[in-house]
Structures are given as structure tokens and as C-alpha cells.
Amino acid sequence: MAGPDDSFERAAMARGFLRIAGVDEVGRGPLAGPVTAAAVVLDMAKLPEGLNDSKKLTARARDRLAKAIHAQAEVSVAHASVAEIDELNILRASHLAMVRAVAALDPAPDYVLIDGNMVPVGLAIAHETIVKGDARSVSVAAASIVAKTCRDAIMVDLAQQHPGYGWETNAGYPSKRHILALSEIGVTPHHRRSFKPVHNILYQDKIVNG
């Protein structure tokens, strides 16, 4: 299957939109860390070579492309915290991060291409949802790369503060090492207490310790 192209952006431009942002988020599945979103307005005449869904790229390729995107495009990154994830639920928190990322672009875009099939609440700009957008739209692919590299860097930093969970390699996802460390080391302030594996550990500790 071919990688993403600029057909969604060109179609929006043909309808009179001038500043088109792609937006994507990363980090819905992990047991720890924030959910991160990025919004990117590309220069359509100067696209970084090799744009693709961040999940289909190696870490080296993502890092190279992230640097090129930051150098050649308008970029914003935003997060929803672990506390917000636990309070709102992960879907609403990921949408909050997306809205924050779009709002941080200055000047604001006049059209937004959104990865997925749901429109985040509070997005008051003309928009279009694209299922598997990170594999179909160059702007959404760029946003996916920026969000992924940013969040991975956050988790590497948190891994230095909380060794043993393997966050430097699993980015907070529920790997065997991470699940084992939850049982052996316990829950950190960066764990999502509303997620079942973390909730279960806390519940078991409460029973044991009264």
C-alpha cells in the first residue's frame, strides 16, 4: 500500500482553505505517562521526504523526519496529563490534547485534518476526519511523527526517574516487564490509576494493607 499523499490537503485548498493542519495523538494504550498530540501545518511545496504513519517507521527514521518537520513546518505539541486521563477517560483526554495542539498554532489554521472518525469536542475550526489518516494524509502523518517522538522522549526521561519499568523501550505500554514491575515495585505517580492493570494492583494493595 502506498504511503500518505497530499490529496486531502489539495482538496481543502481547492475549496479555499489556506492554512491546513494535520492533527494526531499518541499514547492511548500505555499504563503510564501523558497522552500527546501534535498539530502540523506543512509547506506543501517543501514536504519532508519519507513521511508515513509513525508506526510504520523505525525510530531512526522518525527522529530524522521529526527534525525535518520542525525545521520546515509549523508545529505545536500538547498533552493531557495522567490526572486528566483518570478524570475524563482516555478518549476525552486524547481529544483534549488534540484541541490544545490545534489551539497552540499561531496563526490559527482554517482547516483541520483529524486522524480517526471522531471530532474532538471544542474544535471550532472547519475540519475533516480521516480514518487511518496517518497513513493517508501527509499532514496527519507528520503530526503522528512529531507526537510519537515527543512522547517517547518524555517516557525516556521518566524512565531515568523511575527505573525498572522499561519505559525507555516500552513507552509505558503494558509489556511483560512493565506488568511485572508494577507487581514488584508498585505504582508511580505517573501511572494511570483508571487503567485496569494499575487499578488492580492498587486494589490488591488496599486489601493486603487494610
Side-chain angles (χ1 to χ4, degrees):
M1 183 177 177
D5 60 33
D6 63 358
S7 58
F8 289 96
E9 291 80 0
R10 296 295 178 188
M13 291 170 68
R15 299 198 302 275
F17 295 106
L18 301 177
R19 286 181 53 77
I20 300 158
V23 63
D24 197 7
E25 53 74 29
V26 65
R28 287 196 191 184
L31 303 180
V35 60
T36 299
V40 176
V41 178
L42 290 170
D43 178 350
M44 301 309 296
K46 192 180 181 183
L47 296 177
E49 186 176 348
L51 286 174
N52 207 338
D53 175 358
S54 63
K55 298 183 292 296
K56 298 179 180 178
L57 299 169
T58 64
R60 179 176 293 183
R62 283 195 299 268
D63 288 342
R64 174 184 62 80
L65 280 162
K67 290 177 182 176
I69 294 163
H70 278 282
Q72 300 174 19
E74 298 174 52
V75 177
S76 67
V77 179
H79 314 276
S81 68
V82 167
E84 289 171 324
I85 292 168
D86 287 339
E87 178 184 354
L88 299 173
N89 75 42
I90 185 58
L91 176 61
R92 289 180 61 197
S94 65
H95 284 178
L96 177 61
M98 294 169 84
V99 170
R100 286 172 172 167
V102 172
L105 288 170
D106 186 17
D110 56 7
Y111 198 76
V112 181
L113 299 172
I114 307 162
D115 182 55
N117 62 359
M118 297 182 67
V119 179
V121 173
L123 184 65
I125 299 171
H127 55 263
E128 177 179 356
T129 58
I130 309 173
V131 175
K132 299 188 182 302
D134 45 9
R136 300 171 65 194
S137 156
V138 286
S139 297
V140 179
S144 79
I145 292 165
V146 170
K148 171 69 173 167
T149 54
C150 178
R151 189 180 184 281
D152 282 356
I154 290 171
M155 296 310 297
V156 168
D157 182 61
L158 290 177
Q160 310 311 307
Q161 303 172 39
H162 300 276
Y165 299 90
W167 293 344
E168 67 278 9
T169 55
N170 63 42
Y173 282 86
S175 67
K176 289 183 179 179
R177 179 181 178 186
H178 192 177
I179 295 295
L180 182 62
L182 268 173
S183 298
E184 294 183 344
I185 305 173
V187 176
T188 74
H190 303 287
H191 278 103
R192 302 172 180 180
R193 282 153 171 74
S194 57
F195 278 44
K196 190 172 182 179
V198 180
H199 173 80
N200 288 348
I201 293 290
L202 291 170
Y203 182 71
Q204 290 166 11
D205 287 347
K206 184 177 181 180
I207 291 176
V208 171
N209 297 318

